[in-house]
C-alpha cells in the first residue's frame, strides 16, 4: 500500500483504504483519506448515545406493524415458513425448537445440474410408517392392528419389509410385531383384553414411526435457483446433512440458529441471527438499520454461547440486582442477591430511574470536576 | 372403512358412511333419536362425527326433499291459526337444528325459488342470518360485514327512551334523549321489537361535504340552531345511596345534618342544601363537594379502653357528597329500606347535556364521529330551496369503509321525508333503489340526491353538487363532560406518595415504561429525573449501618438505632417509592445497606 495511506491504517477500515487506493490518483490520496476520516468520525456513534434503547425502539416500533403471515411454498402441503413477528420473537428468544425449521441444501456436481435430484431428495426425506401403508385394519377379534404395506412405495425408497419391522420394533414400545406377506401384525404387549381406544392410540403412534431417511426432514422440495438445483426441506438436521457426500457443505444452511451454533460455532450463529432477522424485516417491507440488528446479535453471542433475550438469557447476565429484578421474577432475584450479599453499583439506567437520580447516559454521563488551584 | 367418533372419542368403524349418516338423520327426523344429536361425515378425513354434548351453537333450517321444502303453505296457515306450534314443526320433522359441523354437509338455499334437487335445507328467512341489533341496520345487505357489526354495536350505546317508568327507577348511569324520533328508514325489526315505543335517535338533515377541515378524520360539524331546537339534547341521571347501617354494640349510622364537632366535618357551606332530616331537597342545583345526604357514623374501632378516651366517642362524618367535577340538579329523593331492613336514602341527580364539541354521534352504519365544530346557522351551507343541513358529514369516510348503506339511507330518508311515508329497508327485502330514485324525481328533485348549494359564509354557489338527505342519527353515551380531565397538582397516594390514578380521583397521566424509554433514547437524563420527581423526598441515612436514620425534630437529634452514637448521618434525595422498596425488603428479612459516596 501507498506509504501515505499506510499512516491511516487503524484509523480507517481497510476496505475504505483499498477503495481510495483503487479509485483515486496517487497525488490526491492523502487529501481524500483525510476527508474520509472526517466523514468517518462523524458517522460514529457519539459517546453517551443510548444505542441499546435506540436499537430496541428501532426494532420494536416496526414490530408493531408486522403481520403474522406465514409464507407457503406452492405445490407442497404442510410446507410453510413462519415470518413476521412470531419469527423475530423466536430468533431473539434463542429458542431450541423453532416452529418451522427449514433447510436449503446445495448439492455438489453433478447433482446440482439436475441429475437424480429427485432421488437424492427422497433419500434425505424422513419416511414414516404411515406413508408406506396402504390400509390399516383394526381387527377387533384378535385385538390387533393389521397394516397392509404398499410395495410400490417401498420400492421407490428402496426398503424391504424386514427392515421396516426392525425399525418399527425399535421405534414403538410395548408392542409385538410380526410380518407375513407384506402385512404387519401389531399387538399391544401385556394382557389380552385391551380397550378399543388403546388399540386406536397404538395405531396412531405406529403411523408416526421413523422408518428411513434423515430424521427431522419432513418434506423435500427440489427447486431450480438461478442455474442450479437445490433442495429445500421442511424440518432441519444440519449435522446429519453435512455428513452426506453429495452435499455442498460450504453453502448448505438451515434457519435453526441453535443448530448453527452447535455445528458451526458462535460466529456463524451471530451472522445467522443477523441474516434471519434481516430477512424477516425485509420481507415485511420495513426498513431497520442493520447495525441495530448487529448489536442485538452481538449481545446474544457475546459470551460464546447463544443466549436469548429472556430472563434466562442475557438478562441474567446483568450486573445490577435492581435491573434484573425490574425485568421479570423480581422476588427470585432479590432473594438470590441477598443470599450472596450482592452489591449494586447503581451505574446503569433502570436503577437510577428507580432511585430518581440522573441516568448515566446522554447529558447525564459527563461530570464537571473542579480542580483546586493551590 | 370410515372411523366413527362419538363426542370426540373413537367408537368403531362403518363400511358405508354415506348410508349410515342418512340413516341416523332419518331416525332423528322421525324422533327415534333425540333431535339434539348432530352427525357429520368428512370424506377427506374418513371420519364420521356424532355430537351430543352441550354448548354447541345450532340453528334451525327447513328440511328440503327432492328440491321441495317439506314445510308447506298448509303448515304456515296452521301456524297462523295457532293450531301448530314451533315444537310441532320440530317433532314432525319439518325443521331441524344443525350445528356448525353438520352444516358442512348441508346445502342451504336462501330463498325458495332458488331450490334445486341438490339442496338439503332452506333458510327460514334470510333475515335469520342477522341478530336483533344487526337487523335494525337499514340496507344491511349493502354494507361491508365488519362495518355492519360496528353499526349494530353502536346502536347499543345510543341514548334514547330506555324505559317508560324511568321517573321512578334508580338505574345507575342512565341517559335519556329528550325528543327521540322513529326512523323514517325502517326495517321489519323495528316493528317486531316495537321500536316506536323506545326510539333512540333523531332524523337529521345530513349533507355529505367537508367544512374547512373541521370534519376531517371522522369528525362532524353541527348546526348551532339545530342544537338550540333541541337536537341531541339529553339528560344524565346518576343515583347515590346512603344506608343507615347497624354496627355491633347497638351503634348505628344516623342520617342528619352533621354537627360541627363530628370528626371530619367539612365546611358549613357544604351542608347548606340539607333540610332538617339531613337530606337534600329536590330541584336543588348542586356543584362539586356539596353534600346531598348528611350522615354520621360511630367511631371505627371501639375497644374498652376507648370508653375513657374522649376523642373516641366523637362520631365520624360519612356524608355523601358530589365528587370532583360533578354537578347537576337533584331530581328525585327516595326514602326506603334495604334488604336488611335498614333505612335507605336514595337521591337521584339530573344533569342536562346539550351537544358540545367532543360528543359522539353515529349513523346506523358504523359511521361514528365526534363533533368537531358547532357553527351558527347563518354560516351553514344552504340549498336553493333554503334547506339548511343539521349535520355535515365528511365524504372521506365513505370510500375505504364501503358503507354503501349509509349513502342509500340518505337518499331513502330524503324520499321518505318528502313523500311523507316510512320506507322499509330490511336487509334483502328493502324497497328497490330504482323505485326510490324514480319517486325522488317525481317529487321534483335530482335523481341522485344531489342539490345545488350555497356557501353560507360567502354566498357563492359550490362548484360541486352536494349530496344531501335525511338520515337517522344516534347520540352515543360517550360525552366529553364525563371524560375530560387535567391535573397540575392534586391528591397523592398514601402508600407511594405518587399521584393518584384516574379521572375520578383527579389523578395524573402516567409517564409509563415506554415513554421513559424515549427520554433515555434522547439521552435527556436530567429531564427524565425531573419528570419522575413527583415523589421526591429527602431521607437521612446512617453511613455506618446503611439504613434510614431517625430525624427527631423535637429533640433536634438525628440518630440510627443500629449505629454508634457518633455515626455520620447524611441526607439523601431519592424517590419515596424507593424508600418504600427498601422497607419492603426489610420486611422480607433482606438487609438493604446503602453505601453513600459523594458523586463529585
Amino acid at each position: 500500500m501507498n506509504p501515505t495511506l499506510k499512516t491511516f491504517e487503524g484509523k480507517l477500515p481497510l476496505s475504505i483504504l483499498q477503495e481510495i487506493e483503487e479509485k483515486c490518483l496517487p497525488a490526491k490520496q492523502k487529501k481524500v483519506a483525510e476527508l474520509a476520516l472526517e466523514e468517518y468520525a462523524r458517522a460514529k456513534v457519539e459517546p453517551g448515545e443510548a444505542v441499546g434503547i435506540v436499537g430496541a425502539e428501532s426494532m420494536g416500533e416496526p414490530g408493531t406493524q408486522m403481520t403474522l403471515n406465514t409464507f407457503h411454498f406452492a405445490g407442497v402441503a404442510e410446507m410453510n415458513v413462519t415470518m413476521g413477528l412470531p419469527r423475530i420473537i423466536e430468533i431473539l428468544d434463542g429458542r431450541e425448537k423453532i416452529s418451522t425449521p427449514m433447510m436449503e441444501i446445495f448439492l455438489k456436481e453433478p447433482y446440482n445440474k439436475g441429475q437424480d435430484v429427485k432421488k437424492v431428495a427422497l433419500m434425505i426425506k424422513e419416511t414414516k410408517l404411515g406413508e408406506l401403508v396402504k390400509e390399516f385394519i383394526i381387527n377387533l377379534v384378535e385385538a390387533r392392528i393389521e397394516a397392509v404395506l404398499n410395495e410400490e412405495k417401498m420400492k421407490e425408497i428402496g426398503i424391504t419389509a424386514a427392515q421396516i419391522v426392525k425399525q418399527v420394533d425399535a421405534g414403538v414400545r410395548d408392542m409385538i410385531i410380526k410380518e407375513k406377506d407384506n402385512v404387519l401384525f401389531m399387538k399391544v404387549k401385556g394382557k389380552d383384553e385391551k380397550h378399543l381406544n388403546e388399540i386406536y392410540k397404538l395405531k396412531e403412534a405406529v403411523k408416526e414411526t421413523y422408518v428411513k431417511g434423515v430424521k427431522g426432514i419432513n418434506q423435500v422440495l427440489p427447486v431450480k435457483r438461478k442455474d442450479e438445483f437445490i433442495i429445500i426441506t421442511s424440518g432441519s438436521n444440519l449435522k446429519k446433512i453435512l455428513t452426506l457426500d453429495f452435499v455442498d457443505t460450504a453453502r448448505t444452511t438451515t434457519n435453526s440458529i441453535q443448530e448453527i451454533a452447535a455445528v458451526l460455532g458462535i460466529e456463524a450463529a451471530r451472522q445467522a441471527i443477523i441474516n434471519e432477522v434481516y430477512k424477516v424485516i425485509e420481507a415485511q417491507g420495513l426498513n431497520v438499520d442493520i447495525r441495530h440488528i448487529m448489536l442485538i446479535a452481538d449481545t446474544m453471542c457475546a459470551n460464546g454461547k447463544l443466549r436469548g433475550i429472556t430472563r434466562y438469557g442475557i438478562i441474567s447476565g446483568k450486573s445490577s440486582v435492581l435491573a434484573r429484578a425490574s425485568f421479570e421474577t423480581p422476588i427470585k432475584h432479590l432473594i438470590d442477591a441477598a443470599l450472596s450479599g450482592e452489591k449494586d453499583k447503581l451505574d446503569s439506567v433502570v436503577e437510577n430511574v428507580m432511585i430518581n437520580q440522573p441516568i448515566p447516559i446522554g447529558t447525564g454521563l459527563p461530570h464537571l470536576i473542579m480542580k483546586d488551584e493551590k | 372403512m370410515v372411523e366413527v367418533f362419538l363426542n370426540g372419542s373413537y367408537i368403531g368403524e362403518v363400511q358405508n358412511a354415506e348410508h349410515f349418516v342418512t340413516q341416523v338423520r332419518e331416525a332423528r327426523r322421525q324422533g327415534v333419536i333425540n333431535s339434539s344429536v348432530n352427525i357429520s361425515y368428512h370424506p377427506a378425513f374418513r371420519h364420521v362425527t356424532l355430537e351430543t354434548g352441550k354448548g354447541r351453537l345450532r340453528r334451525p333450517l327447513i328440511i328440503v326433499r327432492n328440491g321441495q321444502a317439506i314445510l308447506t303453505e298448509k303448515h304456515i296457515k296452521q301456524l297462523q291459526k295457532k293450531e301448530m306450534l314451533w315444537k310441532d314443526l320440530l317433532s314432525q320433522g319439518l325443521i331441524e337444528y344443525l350445528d356448525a359441523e353438520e352444516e358442512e354437509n348441508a346445502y342451504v338455499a336462501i330463498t325458495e325459488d332458488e331450490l334445486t334437487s341438490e339442496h338439503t335445507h332452506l333458510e327460514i328467512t334470510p333475515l335469520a342470518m342477522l341478530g336483533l341489533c344487526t337487523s335494525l341496520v337499514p340496507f344491511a345487505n349493502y354494507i361491508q360485514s365488519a362495518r355492519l357489526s360496528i353499526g349494530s354495536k353502536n346502536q347499543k350505546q345510543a341514548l334514547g327512551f330506555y324505559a317508560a317508568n324511568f321517573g321512578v327507577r334508580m338505574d345507575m348511569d342512565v341517559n335519556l334523549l329528550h325528543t327521540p324520533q322513529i326512523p323514517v328508514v325502517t326495517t321489519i325489526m323495528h316493528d317486531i321489537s316495537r321500536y316506536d315505543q323506545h326510539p333512540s335517535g333523531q332524523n337529521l338533515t345530513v349533507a355529505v361535504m367537508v367544512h374547512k377541515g373541521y370534519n376531517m378524520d371522522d369528525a362532524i360539524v353541527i348546526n348551532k340552531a339545530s342544537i338550540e331546537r333541541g337536537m341531541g339534547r339529553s339528560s344524565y341521571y346518576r343515583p347515590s345511596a346512603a344506608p343507615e347501617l347497624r354496627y355491633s354494640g347497638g351503634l348505628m349510622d344516623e342520617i342528619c345534618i352533621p354537627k360541627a364537632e363530628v370528626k371530619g366535618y367539612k365546611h358549613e357551606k357544604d351542608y347548606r342544601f340539607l333540610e332538617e332530616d339531613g337530606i337534600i331537597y329536590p330541584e336543588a342545583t348542586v356543584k362539586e363537594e356539596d353534600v346531598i345526604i348528611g350522615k354520621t357514623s360511630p367511631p371505627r374501632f371501639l375497644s374498652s379502653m376507648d370508653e375513657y378516651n374522649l376523642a373516641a366517642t366523637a362520631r365520624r362524618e360519612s356524608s355523601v357528597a358530589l365528587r370532583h367535577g360533578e354537578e347537576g340538579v337533584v331530581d328525585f329523593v327516595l326514602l326506603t329500606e334495604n334488604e336488611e331492613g335498614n333505612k335507605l336514602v336514595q337521591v337521584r341527580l339530573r344533569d342536562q347535556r346539550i351537544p358540545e364539541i367532543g360528543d359522539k354521534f353515529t349513523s346506523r352504519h358504523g359511521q361514528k364521529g365526534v363533533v368537531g365544530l358547532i357553527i351558527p346557522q347563518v354560516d351553514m351551507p344552504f340549498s336553493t330551496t333554503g334547506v339548511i343541513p343539521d349535520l355535515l358529514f365528511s365524504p372521506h369516510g365513505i370510500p375505504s369503509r364501503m358503507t354503501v348503506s349509509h349513502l342509500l339511507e340518505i337518499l331513502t330518508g330524503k324520499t321518505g321525508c318528502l313523500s311523507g311515508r316510512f320506507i322499509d329497508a330490511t336487509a334483502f327485502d328493502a324497497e328497490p333503489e330504482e323505485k326510490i330514485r324514480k319517486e325522488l324525481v317525481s317529487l321534483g328533485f335530482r335523481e341522485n340526491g344531489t342539490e345545488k348549494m350555497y356557501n353560507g359564509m360567502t354566498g357563492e354557489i359550490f362548484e360541486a353538487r352536494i349530496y344531501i338527505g335525511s338520515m337517522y342519527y344516534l347520540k352515543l353515551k360517550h360525552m366529553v363532560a364525563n371524560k375530560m380531565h387535567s391535573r397540575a397538582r392534586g391528591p397523592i397516594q398514601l402508600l407511594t406518595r405518587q399521584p393518584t390514578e384516574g379521572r375520578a380521583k383527579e389523578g395524573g397521566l402516567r409517564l409509563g415504561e415506554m415513554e421513559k424509554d424515549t427520554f433515555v433514547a434522547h439521552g435527556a437524563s436530567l429531564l427524565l429525573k425531573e419528570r419522575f420527581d413527583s415523589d421526591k423526598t429527602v431521607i437521612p441515612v446512617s453511613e455506618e449501618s446503611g439504613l434510614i436514620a431517625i430525624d427527631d425534630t423535637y429533640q433536634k437529634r438525628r440518630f440510627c438505632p443500629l449505629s454508634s452514637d457518633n455515626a455520620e448521618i447524611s441526607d439523601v434525595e431519592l424517590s419515596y417509592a424507593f424508600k418504600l422498596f427498601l422497607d419492603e425488603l426489610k420486611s422480607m428479612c433482606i438487609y438493604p445497606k446503602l453505601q453513600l459516596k459523594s458523586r463529585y
Side-chain angles (χ1 to χ4, degrees):
Chain A
M1 199 184 285
N2 187 325
T4 45
L5 281 182
K6 211 87 176 161
T7 56
F8 287 94
E9 227 170 61
K11 291 178 193 164
L12 278 172
L14 205 63
S15 58
I16 293 180
L17 289 178
Q18 278 165 356
E19 204 179 331
I20 294 171
E21 188 164 39
E22 269 172 40
K23 293 185 182 168
C24 300
L25 297 168
K28 300 217 168 163
Q29 275 177 3
K30 195 182 174 215
K31 186 86 181 148
V32 172
E34 271 167 6
L35 284 170
L37 188 62
E38 220 171 275
E39 207 50 42
Y40 187 72
R42 208 174 296 147
K44 275 187 187 166
V45 172
E46 281 170 34
E49 178 84 44
V51 282
I53 286 277
V54 172
E57 286 184 346
S58 305
M59 282 288 291
E61 197 277 331
T64 61
Q65 307 171 25
M66 273 187 209
T67 49
L68 305 175
N69 285 348
T70 53
F71 179 70
H72 295 264
F73 279 92
V76 186
E78 285 162 28
M79 195 141 159
N80 53 60
V81 194
T82 317
M83 297 293 274
L85 198 60
R87 176 67 182 147
I88 296 258
I89 293 170
E90 194 171 83
I91 298 167
L92 299 191
D93 277 0
R95 255 182 231 159
E96 204 76 56
K97 237 196 162 89
I98 59 174
S99 65
T100 50
M102 219 192 92
M103 290 190 78
E104 273 174 25
I105 302 172
F106 287 83
L107 302 169
K108 280 187 188 151
E109 292 254 7
Y111 302 103
N112 68 348
K113 293 289 171 245
Q115 188 191 318
D116 294 338
V117 187
K118 253 197 168 154
K119 207 173 146 200
V120 166
L122 275 176
M123 264 170 74
I124 297 169
K125 185 172 180 269
E126 176 182 355
T127 308
K128 287 170 179 165
L129 184 63
E131 299 162 44
L132 297 179
V133 171
K134 237 193 245 162
E135 192 178 14
F136 276 103
I137 300 158
I138 295 183
N139 190 330
L140 292 174
V141 185
E142 303 271 337
R144 69 179 180 192
I145 306 158
E146 298 168 14
V148 184
L149 294 175
N150 187 336
E151 281 163 64
E152 269 175 48
K153 282 213 171 145
M154 281 162 67
K155 219 176 249 167
E156 205 174 291
I157 63 162
I159 194 167
T160 61
Q163 281 171 310
I164 294 178
V165 169
K166 205 177 142 202
Q167 287 290 350
V168 174
D169 204 19
V172 183
R173 282 189 304 162
D174 297 332
M175 184 195 66
I176 304 162
I177 182 162
K178 278 184 207 129
E179 186 260 345
K180 200 183 166 196
D181 297 339
N182 278 335
V183 180
L184 304 178
F185 299 96
M186 288 161 282
K187 230 173 173 178
V188 184
K189 218 179 238 173
K191 55 185 188 322
D192 287 339
E193 283 294 310
K194 281 291 167 196
H195 194 268
L196 195 52
N197 251 333
E198 253 176 89
I199 300 172
Y200 182 75
K201 265 184 206 156
L202 176 70
K203 188 191 103 184
E204 292 300 309
V206 166
K207 264 189 192 170
E208 294 299 310
T209 318
Y210 164 79
V211 180
K212 198 174 187 284
V214 179
K215 248 187 197 172
I217 308 291
N218 307 317
Q219 289 282 343
V220 284
L221 179 65
V223 290
K224 193 167 185 184
R225 185 168 292 173
K226 281 171 195 151
D227 36 43
E228 66 175 326
F229 281 89
I230 64 163
I231 301 171
I232 295 174
T233 72
S234 110
S236 171
N237 193 341
L238 189 63
K239 200 173 174 182
K240 262 271 166 65
I241 293 287
L242 290 187
T243 59
L244 300 173
D245 50 6
F246 51 81
V247 168
D248 181 356
T249 48
R251 292 186 294 161
T252 295
T253 183
T254 168
N255 69 349
S256 167
I257 286 147
Q258 287 283 359
E259 259 186 56
I260 291 181
V263 177
L264 300 175
I266 196 70
E267 284 292 339
R270 173 187 174 271
Q271 194 56 46
I273 293 171
I274 297 168
N275 293 347
E276 289 291 322
V277 173
Y278 202 72
K279 207 155 76 184
V280 175
I281 286 166
E282 231 177 14
Q284 299 276 335
L286 302 169
N287 189 17
V288 177
D289 196 300
I290 198 156
R291 283 171 287 183
H292 297 308
I293 304 164
M294 285 161 89
L295 181 67
I296 294 169
D298 283 342
T299 320
M300 286 174 72
C301 301
N303 77 344
K305 263 193 206 144
L306 190 66
R307 294 177 308 162
I309 302 174
T310 61
R311 72 188 122 144
Y312 309 107
I314 60 163
I315 307 292
S316 69
K318 281 200 175 190
S319 65
S320 162
V321 192
L322 294 178
R324 264 179 284 139
S326 76
F327 183 68
E328 272 169 15
T329 55
I331 296 170
K332 188 187 132 220
H333 280 125
L334 292 174
I335 289 176
D336 287 352
L339 286 174
S340 59
E342 261 184 69
K343 232 183 222 179
D344 193 323
K345 286 191 166 164
L346 303 176
D347 51 8
S348 175
V349 177
V350 195
E351 308 94 277
N352 282 294
V353 171
M354 283 170 91
I355 60 170
N356 194 21
Q357 293 294 321
I359 51 169
I361 263 187
T363 54
L365 194 63
H367 292 296
L368 283 179
I369 301 173
M370 284 245 275
K371 217 176 195 177
D372 264 342
E373 291 266 349
K374 268 182 193 166
Chain B
M1 294 298 261
V2 175
E3 292 159 355
V4 183
F5 293 82
L6 176 66
N7 291 328
S9 56
Y10 177 77
I11 51 163
E13 289 176 354
V14 287
Q15 252 339 321
N16 189 343
E18 210 76 63
H19 178 66
F20 172 68
V21 169
T22 351
Q23 262 188 325
V24 174
R25 279 184 193 148
E26 264 331 299
R28 181 181 63 199
R29 286 168 192 177
Q30 282 157 16
V32 181
I33 296 177
N34 193 297
S35 65
S36 58
V37 175
N38 283 111
I39 184 165
S40 52
Y41 171 43
H42 311 289
F45 298 102
R46 304 180 70 71
H47 278 178
V48 169
T49 56
L50 277 151
E51 291 291 337
T52 65
K54 50 184 162 184
R56 285 169 295 132
L57 201 61
R58 302 159 76 232
R59 66 194 203 95
L61 290 168
I62 299 168
I63 298 166
V64 171
R65 274 220 176 92
N66 308 322
Q68 288 289 313
I70 53 174
L71 182 90
T72 56
E73 281 301 318
K74 191 186 88 195
H75 296 114
I76 293 168
K77 284 214 176 90
Q78 277 180 310
L79 274 172
Q80 279 166 341
K81 282 189 223 149
K82 303 245 159 104
E83 285 166 10
M84 239 181 142
L85 295 170
W86 179 262
K87 62 176 184 201
D88 297 322
L89 294 181
L90 197 62
S91 63
Q92 287 179 22
L94 300 171
I95 60 162
E96 66 184 347
Y97 282 86
L98 298 191
D99 69 355
E101 236 177 317
E102 190 169 344
E103 243 183 356
E104 294 293 319
N105 287 168
Y107 186 36
V108 185
I110 290 177
T111 57
E112 195 152 13
D113 41 275
E114 71 185 45
L115 274 176
T116 65
S117 55
E118 275 172 59
H119 284 98
T120 60
H121 292 86
L122 172 65
E123 202 78 58
I124 293 172
T125 158
L127 199 64
M129 274 189 273
L130 309 173
L132 193 151
C133 271
T134 315
S135 323
L136 290 174
V137 178
F139 298 112
N141 47 333
Y142 293 94
I143 185 173
Q144 189 200 349
S145 71
R147 285 282 141 192
L148 181 61
S149 11
I150 295 172
S152 68
K153 276 173 195 155
N154 281 345
Q155 295 200 57
K156 299 176 200 168
Q157 301 181 359
L159 310 187
F161 189 69
Y162 78 107
N165 64 341
F166 72 90
V168 291
R169 293 174 68 110
M170 280 294 183
D171 298 301
M172 203 60 213
D173 219 29
V174 156
N175 287 286
L176 216 69
L177 193 66
H178 285 185
T179 49
Q181 299 173 348
I182 311 168
V184 172
V185 184
T186 60
T187 71
I188 194 167
M189 201 49 86
H190 287 95
D191 297 332
I192 296 170
S193 67
R194 309 207 55 192
Y195 200 73
D196 54 337
Q197 302 287 305
H198 54 88
S200 55
Q202 289 164 331
N203 294 294
L204 306 186
T205 305
V206 176
V208 180
M209 62 181 293
V210 290
H211 183 86
K212 302 208 286 183
Y214 282 99
N215 57 359
M216 67 163 74
D217 250 324
D218 275 349
I220 50 170
V221 173
I222 290 190
N223 184 345
K224 190 159 177 240
S226 305
I227 294 172
E228 282 158 3
R229 282 180 219 118
M231 182 194 89
R233 195 166 290 211
S234 63
S235 286
Y236 175 66
Y237 293 94
R238 205 183 67 81
S240 4
E244 236 176 31
L245 292 175
R246 282 167 214 279
Y247 302 91
S248 58
L251 296 163
M252 63 183 296
D253 291 339
E254 193 192 349
I255 290 173
C256 62
I257 304 174
K259 299 210 170 54
E261 64 263 27
V262 164
K263 214 194 266 176
Y265 189 75
K266 294 181 186 206
H267 189 270
E268 212 178 315
K269 81 164 216 291
D270 291 338
Y271 301 100
R272 68 188 185 282
F273 290 114
L274 300 186
E275 293 187 309
E276 273 165 50
D277 57 359
I279 307 168
I280 201 164
Y281 56 88
E283 298 306 320
T285 309
V286 285
K287 290 223 152 56
E288 58 184 0
E289 313 276 286
D290 287 340
V291 174
I292 49 175
I293 306 167
K295 196 175 83 171
T296 61
S297 301
R300 221 185 288 251
F301 309 105
L302 203 65
S303 63
S304 55
M305 280 288 286
D306 291 334
E307 280 174 34
Y308 308 100
N309 190 343
L310 261 174
T313 56
R315 291 177 69 84
R316 201 152 52 80
E317 142 82 21
S318 56
S319 300
V320 178
L322 254 61
R323 277 180 282 180
H324 176 78
E326 256 187 327
E327 59 175 7
V329 178
V330 177
D331 187 57
F332 185 55
V333 176
L334 182 74
L335 284 167
T336 176
E337 272 183 358
N338 66 8
E339 292 90 347
E340 284 97 54
N342 297 323
K343 184 178 171 188
L344 180 72
V345 180
Q346 284 185 294
V347 175
R348 192 173 64 201
L349 229 61
R350 155 167 52 87
D351 189 17
Q352 181 171 250
R353 294 284 162 84
I354 300 167
E356 58 181 319
I357 291 175
D359 281 359
K360 194 176 176 187
F361 286 82
T362 182
S363 75
R364 288 176 287 174
H365 314 274
Q367 287 286 7
K368 56 180 185 257
V370 291
V371 179
L373 183 69
I374 296 169
I375 51 174
Q377 179 150 320
V378 289
D379 292 339
M380 271 310 244
F382 54 91
S383 76
T384 40
T385 48
V387 172
I388 300 167
D390 295 308
L391 191 145
L392 301 181
F393 175 83
S394 165
H396 299 294
I398 301 285
S400 59
R401 298 196 238 275
M402 295 177 279
T403 53
V404 179
S405 58
H406 184 93
L407 299 177
L408 280 175
E409 194 193 334
I410 294 178
L411 191 82
T412 315
K414 186 176 189 174
T415 313
C417 285
L418 290 166
S419 61
R421 67 186 184 97
F422 296 108
I423 299 182
D424 183 42
T426 310
F428 305 106
D429 204 18
E431 268 188 39
E433 183 192 343
E434 206 57 25
K435 197 183 145 211
I436 293 162
R437 282 175 183 270
K438 271 192 188 131
E439 193 176 343
L440 196 58
V441 173
S442 72
L443 289 161
F445 284 83
R446 206 174 274 122
E447 175 249 14
N448 60 11
T450 60
E451 278 178 43
K452 183 195 279 182
M453 286 188 83
Y454 295 86
N455 185 330
M457 277 165 286
T458 63
E460 291 165 334
I461 299 173
F462 285 121
E463 231 173 84
R465 299 286 167 266
I466 306 295
Y467 190 52
I468 182 171
S470 167
M471 78 182 310
Y472 198 59
Y473 249 82
L474 314 162
K475 185 185 186 187
L476 299 183
K477 66 180 181 188
H478 308 284
M479 286 170 281
V480 261
N482 295 329
K483 301 204 167 181
M484 64 173 188
H485 170 56
S486 68
R487 160 182 171 140
R489 276 161 290 160
I492 52 162
Q493 277 164 13
L494 199 65
L495 183 70
T496 60
R497 295 201 189 165
Q498 286 169 358
T500 51
E501 192 195 331
R503 188 184 107 98
K505 283 172 273 177
E506 218 199 323
L509 297 171
R510 186 184 156 87
L511 185 99
E513 196 80 14
M514 293 176 91
E515 290 77 11
K516 175 213 79 182
D517 287 347
T518 63
F519 285 95
V520 177
H522 277 88
S525 175
L526 296 161
L527 178 64
L528 176 66
K529 179 186 175 295
E530 205 168 283
R531 276 263 21 188
F532 283 132
D533 267 353
S534 65
D535 64 340
K536 179 169 78 175
T537 38
V538 176
I539 278 164
V541 173
S542 158
E543 297 209 20
E544 194 180 308
S545 69
L547 291 177
I548 296 160
I550 297 164
D551 185 5
D552 191 339
T553 43
Y554 280 110
Q555 293 180 33
K556 296 225 163 67
R557 200 164 77 92
R558 287 146 70 90
F559 64 99
C560 169
L562 282 180
S563 316
S564 53
D565 286 344
N566 50 7
E568 178 128 10
I569 295 190
S570 316
D571 280 334
V572 175
E573 184 191 288
L574 38 72
S575 61
Y576 189 82
F578 187 69
K579 185 240 150 202
L580 180 72
F581 174 64
L582 296 180
D583 290 341
E584 282 183 5
L585 288 182
K586 282 180 229 162
S587 73
M588 287 165 69
C589 297
I590 294 173
Y591 179 4
K593 189 170 181 178
L594 298 178
Q595 287 181 351
L596 304 186
K597 199 174 81 187
S598 173
R599 189 193 289 271
Y600 308 106

